[in-house]
Amino acid sequence: MNEALRGMSTPDAFGRAMRDLRISVTDRCNFRCTYCMPRELFGADHAFLPRASLLSFEEIARLARLFAALGVSKLRITGGEPLVRKGIEQLVGLLAPIPGISDLSLTTNGSLLTADQARRLKDAGLGRITVSLDALDDATFQAMNGVGFPVRRVLEAIDHAAAAGLGPVKVNMVVKRGANDHGIEAMAGHFRGSGHILRYIEYMDVGTTNGWRLQDVVAIDEVLARIDARWPLEPIVPNYPGEVARRWRYRDGAGEIGAIASVTRPFCGGCTRARLSAEGMLYTCLFAAAGTKLRDLLRSGASDDTLRDRIAGVWGGRRDRYSELRSQATPAIQGRRKIEMSYIGG
Ligand code: SAM
Ligand code: SF4
Ligand code: SF4
């Protein structure tokens, strides 16, 4: 669509346009990753969102159309675990044809990604998929996913995604010191030459339940130095300005890797992402302490114009740059009650 014809939102207070929307479709998950939903704190008595408070697929699609009209061109479906939401391919089918959307993707732990499910998602119009996998050995992976889920099944899910045409599959590895950092080279060795793109993610202080400590973060420079020592790397120029993941290729032609270094190399200056929670809260930062309720407005019969103005107003007033301020010892930063990753949508 001609950009001039779309009611592009005004940039935020720091001149950043709104380009991406992450849509969380559920706060539930069948894993209990230690860095996201530690099982001690997300036990049987944990109160997840009630069904009635979740946005329906039609409500999500309506909002997504309005975001697209304001300039969003990339949508990512996430959670919690998006594949635990029944009939998720129906949502994909509603989002894929929205004018202005050029990239529709989904992030999953892979546990429910059968060959059939991957094909259904592809047929519904999904473009790409990211599968999370933190280790190649069961002892490490099972300790990290908190439910004893085996590595083999996630590797199969990655194959199903590629076979369905949802590749190149991105594989997210959250690196946590003392937990899985011994597997950095093994993961690189496994995915080199596979056509899949491994991305190393610095362990982040999202939410308030994962007991995050700076000393548990493995800086991306350390990760790269270790891989480069084994298989020399060279940087790749970003695909587009503000790309969150930085990229390197193996000099021997065995493909590329990515890195998301939110802790040691914050990228707030180019952050063009909005987030919609499963119950219709709009957040303008992964580390937000508060959001804007769109669901009630949506359900009160508000017109598209009213909703669009509300979204544009929120974005226009955005001043988020948490990762750049993280090290500051102010109460607003250190004492912030942040929303959990499983709720806000990673
Ligand atoms: N359940 C899906 C999954 O795990 O892929 C989608 C939601 S999950 C919240 C999205 C991504 O966030 C995953 O790749 C996960 O590993 C990552 N993640 C969760 N908690 C994190 C943390 N504390 N630091 C860095 N990445 C994290
Ligand atoms: Fe679930 Fe994904 Fe969080 Fe792990 S990272 S607990 S799979 S939502
Ligand atoms: Fe964007 Fe917030 Fe992350 Fe900065 S801290 S890159 S503003 S989500």
Side-chain angles (χ1 to χ4, degrees), residues 20 41 54 108 111 163 314:
D20 323 54
L41 294 160
L54 299 187
T108 174
S111 59
V314 169

Side-chain angles (χ1 to χ4, degrees), residues 205 212 214 262-264 266 321-331 333-334:
D205 52 335
W212 185 86
L214 185 58
S262 155
V263 179
T264 63
R321 47 192 284 261
Y322 177 86
S323 287
E324 291 179 348
L325 304 175
R326 177 182 281 116
S327 56
Q328 293 184 4
T330 62
I333 291 298
Q334 300 301 338

Side-chain angles (χ1 to χ4, degrees), residues 29 31 33 35-37 80 109:
C29 186
F31 279 17
C33 301
Y35 50 72
C36 180
M37 298 176 80
N109 62 26

Side-chain angles (χ1 to χ4, degrees), residues 75-78 103-107 126-130:
L75 298 178
R76 178 172 291 274
I77 300 170
T78 179
D103 186 13
L104 177 58
S105 58
L106 178 144
T107 305
L126 191 70
R128 300 180 299 123
I129 215 158
T130 297

